[in-house]
Amino acid sequence: MKLSNLYKTIKAQLEKAQIGTADLDARWMIERRTGYRWADIVADGAQMTAPTALEAIEADLQRRIAGEPLSRIYGEREFWGRAFKLSPETLDPRPDTETLIEAVLARYKDAPPKTVLDLGTGTGCILVTLLCEFPEATGIGVDLSLGALKTAQENAQAHGAADRTRFNEGSWFAPLEGEHFDLIVSNPPYIAESVIPTLSKAVQNHDPILALSGGEDGLAAYKSIFSQLSAHLNPHGRAFFEIGFDQEDAVTRLGKEYRIRIEVCHRDLAGQPRVLEMSCGDK
């Protein structure tokens, strides 16, 4: 089958299955399985697809129609221009989380941090991205899941940051007694338990519940972290936390209870509150 015809066929089937990203998914499948870039396909769509590639694409297509995200099918997701390996124990990184990277880079454009802590590191995409952007910095990633930490370590290795990272198993600050950091970041689980059954099947079936559930009110992780934040954040340091689109007021109130100063709320591309930048009064 010609590549141009293959693209049209895949896209039509995805649209019929009401996949909202049919165009992008069709391109990704073809690029992934044929080795051609989309620009090559546009330039010469008459090229024929190898039978082995067609078989692989058909299998991918059926899994995608069944609701499995392509990132899970291929085991990786692009984040900040880099490919990060996924595993069943890690959250699939979302584009909204890049708002946190943008906020950190804006804050530290003149004086980069020397030490970075990522709480609930998952794939390590936040920590590894920041270490790539701050080549003189070192960082630590903490996670409850050993499987997630193994994946994060592989991603750090893949992007040349392994010699500047350390990964610890544990709950938030538990494995870090006496340690302090210039920059603390986190995309903690913040979805209320009652909301989880309403999420898309792609999320419910393929993202780990540990990385989603923020307890009864969605604030459990913030409460645990905020209670110890000032003990681990260096003077003049900053902390950046991703929040749900409707959590700005609640997390702000919670921060004030722990005498944490909200410096600014950063919004995502859709204009929704997404990241809170905090300090501990510069202690």
Side-chain angles (χ1 to χ4, degrees):
M1 182 182 293
K2 294 179 180 179
L3 288 174
S4 58
N5 291 338
L6 178 61
Y7 162 71
K8 293 175 183 177
T9 299
I10 297 171
K11 182 182 177 184
Q13 291 190 52
L14 291 171
E15 288 175 340
K16 183 178 180 181
Q18 298 184 325
I19 303 295
T21 53
D23 178 63
L24 290 175
D25 287 3
R27 297 184 188 190
W28 193 1
M29 288 183 198
I30 294 173
E31 288 185 334
R32 183 81 184 198
R33 296 305 188 186
T34 67
Y36 289 110
R37 297 176 302 168
W38 180 246
D40 298 329
I41 299 168
V42 172
D44 185 9
Q47 299 174 90
M48 299 301 292
T49 310
T52 53
L54 282 174
E55 292 177 7
I57 289 172
E58 178 59 29
D60 296 345
L61 180 60
Q62 294 310 312
R63 290 172 68 179
R64 184 68 187 100
I65 289 173
E68 188 173 356
L70 284 183
S71 54
R72 292 296 179 183
I73 294 172
Y74 299 138
E76 68 177 35
R77 165 74 74 174
E78 182 178 300
F79 183 85
W80 204 255
R82 300 179 179 91
F84 284 86
K85 180 180 178 181
L86 307 182
S87 63
E89 299 86 1
T90 64
L91 188 72
D92 187 344
R94 272 58 166 180
D96 287 340
T97 301
E98 293 188 345
T99 305
L100 189 152
I101 303 298
E102 293 173 351
V104 171
L105 294 181
R107 168 59 62 182
Y108 288 99
K109 62 183 178 180
D110 297 322
K114 296 297 184 183
T115 52
V116 183
L117 170 64
D118 182 16
L119 296 171
T121 195
T123 63
C125 66
I126 295 175
L127 177 62
V128 172
T129 296
L130 290 175
L131 291 182
C132 289
E133 297 294 330
F134 301 131
E136 301 301 317
T138 60
I140 297 176
V142 175
D143 206 287
L144 277 174
S145 168
L146 279 174
L149 292 173
K150 180 177 181 294
T151 302
Q153 181 67 56
E154 291 174 354
N155 283 323
Q157 184 71 43
H159 295 296
D163 62 337
R164 294 185 287 123
T165 56
R166 188 181 97 211
F167 293 100
N168 288 106
E169 179 191 11
S171 177
W172 309 128
F173 293 107
L176 303 170
E177 184 176 356
E179 298 194 59
H180 305 84
F181 305 88
D182 296 332
L183 170 62
I184 297 176
V185 296
S186 182
N187 177 18
Y190 54 69
I191 300 175
E193 290 176 352
S194 61
V195 175
I196 289 177
T198 70
L199 300 176
S200 71
K201 293 301 181 184
V203 173
Q204 291 188 55
N205 295 339
H206 300 284
D207 277 327
I209 190 67
L210 186 66
L212 296 173
S213 178
E216 184 176 354
D217 59 1
L219 301 175
Y222 300 110
K223 293 173 184 176
S224 296
I225 295 171
F226 289 0
S227 68
Q228 301 179 66
L229 184 64
S230 64
H232 294 275
L233 189 64
N234 279 334
H236 307 294
R238 290 291 183 269
F240 294 76
F241 296 92
E242 181 167 333
I243 61 173
F245 73 94
D246 59 351
Q247 290 183 313
E248 180 182 2
D249 291 343
V251 179
T252 296
R253 286 194 299 270
L254 186 63
K256 290 179 179 178
E257 290 179 20
Y258 289 97
R259 304 182 71 178
I260 295 169
R261 179 184 297 166
I262 311 301
E263 299 290 343
V264 63
C265 178
H266 300 271
R267 297 180 178 272
D268 59 26
L269 291 176
Q272 299 288 355
R274 185 58 58 188
V275 173
L276 288 179
E277 178 179 343
M278 303 180 172
S279 71
C280 292
D282 292 338
K283 294 187 290 186

